[in-house]
Amino acid sequence: MTPEEVVRAQFDAYRRQDRAASEALLAPQLTFTSPQDDHIDRQAFFERCFPTADRVSRQELLHVVPAGAQDVFIMYEYDLKTGGTHRNTELISVVDDQIVEMQVFFGGSFG
């Protein structure tokens, strides 16, 4: 798979809450960083971040753009069930068909 296909597959697994599919796409050495999480590991990602899909009523990948041989920039838009539309951007690194790093940059309310 291309790095872009890996990223798309991971977002699909997250939305469907298919942990087995997500585990296959996330490397054991995964590092996840966001304004709320400072370089957490794979286990912490599955405990804190993965279960949050139930907060989202809609998510759309707006841009999935290669940024070198193994990095992908994405921008996505989502609606929260509690109201509000938001956009985030991520830089995701893929090595050997697995995501090794995810850096999330939160956006505010949109639209």
Side-chain angles (χ1 to χ4, degrees), residues 28-32 38-47:
Q29 71 273 23
L30 174 74
T31 300
F32 179 90
D38 186 18
H39 293 89
I40 62 174
D41 64 12
R42 185 175 189 259
Q43 179 180 340
F45 170 81
F46 277 112
E47 290 171 2

Side-chain angles (χ1 to χ4, degrees), residues 46-86:
F46 277 112
E47 290 171 2
R48 293 184 205 172
C49 306
F50 189 76
T52 63
D54 65 345
R55 301 177 317 127
V56 176
S57 62
R58 178 190 68 88
Q59 183 177 44
E60 178 183 354
L61 296 178
L62 301 174
H63 303 285
V64 180
V65 180
Q70 65 186 26
D71 293 332
V72 177
F73 272 113
I74 62 168
M75 175 186 276
Y76 53 93
E77 183 174 286
Y78 61 96
D79 297 329
L80 294 174
K81 290 180 180 175
T82 57
T85 299
H86 300 267

Side-chain angles (χ1 to χ4, degrees), residues 9-10 13-14 18-27 42 45-46 50:
Q10 168 57 26
Y14 165 76
D18 184 342
R19 182 159 174 162
S22 186
E23 286 176 346
L25 295 164
L26 300 179
R42 185 175 189 259
F45 170 81
F46 277 112
F50 189 76

Side-chain angles (χ1 to χ4, degrees), residues 35 78 85-89 104-110:
Y78 61 96
T85 299
H86 300 267
R87 283 187 177 170
N88 290 351
T89 300
V104 180
F105 307 94
F106 288 164
S109 293
F110 179 81

